[in-house]
Amino acid sequence: AQLLKDVLPAAAPGEAHATSGTGTGAKASGGLSPRALEVAESLQKSVISPSVLSGFVRLADMAIVGTIGVVALTGGFGGESAMTDVLATLGIALILTATFLQAADCYQIPVMRNIVSHGARMTIAWTLVFAALFMIKTFGGLLDGIADEQYSIWFGLGLATLLAARFTVSLFVRKWTKDGRLERRAVIVGGGELASEFIHEVERQPNNDIRICGLFDDRKGSRSPEVVAGYPKLGTVRDLVEFARVARIDMLIVTIPLRAEKRLADFLKT
C-alpha cells in the first residue's frame, strides 16, 4: 500500500476546494497543469521491465541446471555414461525444470520479492524435476545409463546453486522495488466510486507492483471528486495524452462503467 502512495503525496484537507477546473491548478497554454507536469517529470526515470528480468532469470536457471548437469553426468561420478544418455537426460531435465518453475510461479515478480516463498517454491519444483526423472528411469526403461549417484550429485549441487542464485535475485528485486525501479506504473481513466474501489483493491494485494500515478476524468462534481482514495485528479482525458508523452507509463486502467458507451467511444477516439 505504501508503494502505491509514493508517487503522489496525500492531498491536504480542503485541497480540492483550492483548485479550479479539474482540481489540478491553472494550466499553461496548451499544456499540463503545474501539478500534473511535476508528477509526469518525476516519472521520467527508466524502470526495469518485469518481463526482461523474468527472461534473464529464466536463462540463468537453465544455465545453472545445464552446467551442473554436465559436471555431474560427465565428471566420472558413479562411472562413465554414454553420451546419448547424457544428452537425453540433460534435455529432459531442462524441459522439466522450465515447466515446473513456470507452474510454481517462480518467475513472477511478487514471488521473487518474497525470499521464503521463493525458496520454498524453488525447492518443490526442483524436487519434482528429479522425481520425474527417476520415474522415467524406473518405469519407462529410459536413461538407464545414468547412475543414481550422478542424479544425487546433480540434485544437491543444483538445489544449492539455484537457491543461492534466487536469494541474490530476491535481494536485488526488493532493492529495485524500494527504489521505484521495478514496478508497473499505471494511470486511471475515470473517477468516483469505481476508481476508489479499484484503488483499494490494488492496495489490499500483498506484494503488488502496481504504482498508481494519477487519475484523469472529464467529469466534475460529486460523480468524480478531485481526490479519489487519496489520489488527486491530474486532468482530463485529453490531458492524459500530453502526460503520457512526458512520463513513462506501463498501464492504462479504465474505470468507466460499461454502460457509458458514449464516453468509452469518445475515449477510444482520443
Side-chain angles (χ1 to χ4, degrees):
Q2 185 59 41
L3 173 63
L4 295 172
K5 302 249 185 199
D6 285 344
V7 171
L8 300 175
E15 180 181 359
H17 302 288
T19 58
S20 60
T22 62
T24 56
K27 294 183 179 181
S29 178
L32 298 170
S33 68
R35 180 169 194 150
L37 183 60
E38 179 183 357
V39 172
E41 290 176 343
S42 71
L43 297 170
Q44 288 182 328
K45 183 174 66 173
S46 62
V47 296
I48 299 171
S49 170
S51 59
V52 172
L53 177 60
S54 297
F56 176 81
V57 173
R58 194 187 307 270
L59 289 176
D61 286 341
M62 296 302 102
I64 291 172
V65 172
T67 300
I68 295 180
V70 169
V71 172
L73 300 180
T74 63
F77 306 102
E80 294 294 332
S81 300
M83 186 55 63
T84 54
D85 286 335
V86 171
L87 293 178
T89 304
L90 284 173
I92 294 173
L94 288 173
I95 294 173
L96 290 173
T97 299
T99 301
F100 285 126
L101 290 182
Q102 181 68 37
D105 291 332
C106 291
Y107 299 109
Q108 298 295 322
I109 299 301
V111 173
M112 293 185 193
R113 193 180 297 121
N114 189 319
I115 295 177
V116 176
S117 174
H118 196 181
R121 289 168 185 261
M122 290 293 298
T123 301
I124 293 173
W126 186 241
T127 302
L128 290 175
V129 169
F130 278 83
L133 287 175
F134 275 111
M135 289 180 65
I136 293 173
K137 178 181 179 180
T138 303
F139 301 106
L142 303 174
L143 311 179
D144 290 334
I146 306 298
D148 291 344
E149 293 83 353
Q150 292 172 305
Y151 281 120
S152 299
I153 292 172
W154 192 5
F155 175 80
L157 288 178
L159 179 60
T161 307
L162 285 171
L163 289 178
R166 286 308 189 99
F167 177 77
T168 303
V169 168
S170 292
L171 293 180
F172 275 104
V173 167
R174 291 161 72 94
K175 180 181 184 302
W176 288 333
T177 301
K178 183 178 180 180
D179 294 342
R181 297 191 59 202
L182 189 60
E183 60 193 4
R184 289 180 293 169
R185 296 171 176 174
V187 292
I188 296 177
V189 174
E193 189 62 27
L194 280 177
S196 178
E197 290 177 0
F198 172 78
I199 292 173
H200 289 313
E201 180 62 28
V202 170
E203 291 182 335
R204 282 194 292 267
Q205 300 298 320
N207 297 317
N208 80 82
D209 60 345
I210 298 177
R211 186 178 184 181
I212 305 296
C213 300
L215 295 90
F216 295 83
D217 196 359
D218 292 335
R219 298 174 299 173
K220 301 177 182 178
S222 59
R223 297 176 62 196
S224 180
E226 305 302 337
V227 179
V228 178
Y231 295 91
K233 189 160 55 177
L234 297 178
T236 64
V237 174
R238 188 177 298 274
D239 296 325
L240 174 57
V241 177
E242 182 64 27
F243 183 88
R245 291 195 181 108
V246 179
R248 293 178 179 267
I249 300 299
D250 301 306
M251 302 173 63
L252 178 64
I253 301 168
V254 180
T255 59
I256 300 174
L258 292 177
R259 62 177 178 273
E261 296 179 0
K262 185 177 184 304
R263 291 189 63 217
L264 285 171
D266 291 341
F267 169 69
L268 293 175
K269 291 178 181 178
T270 303

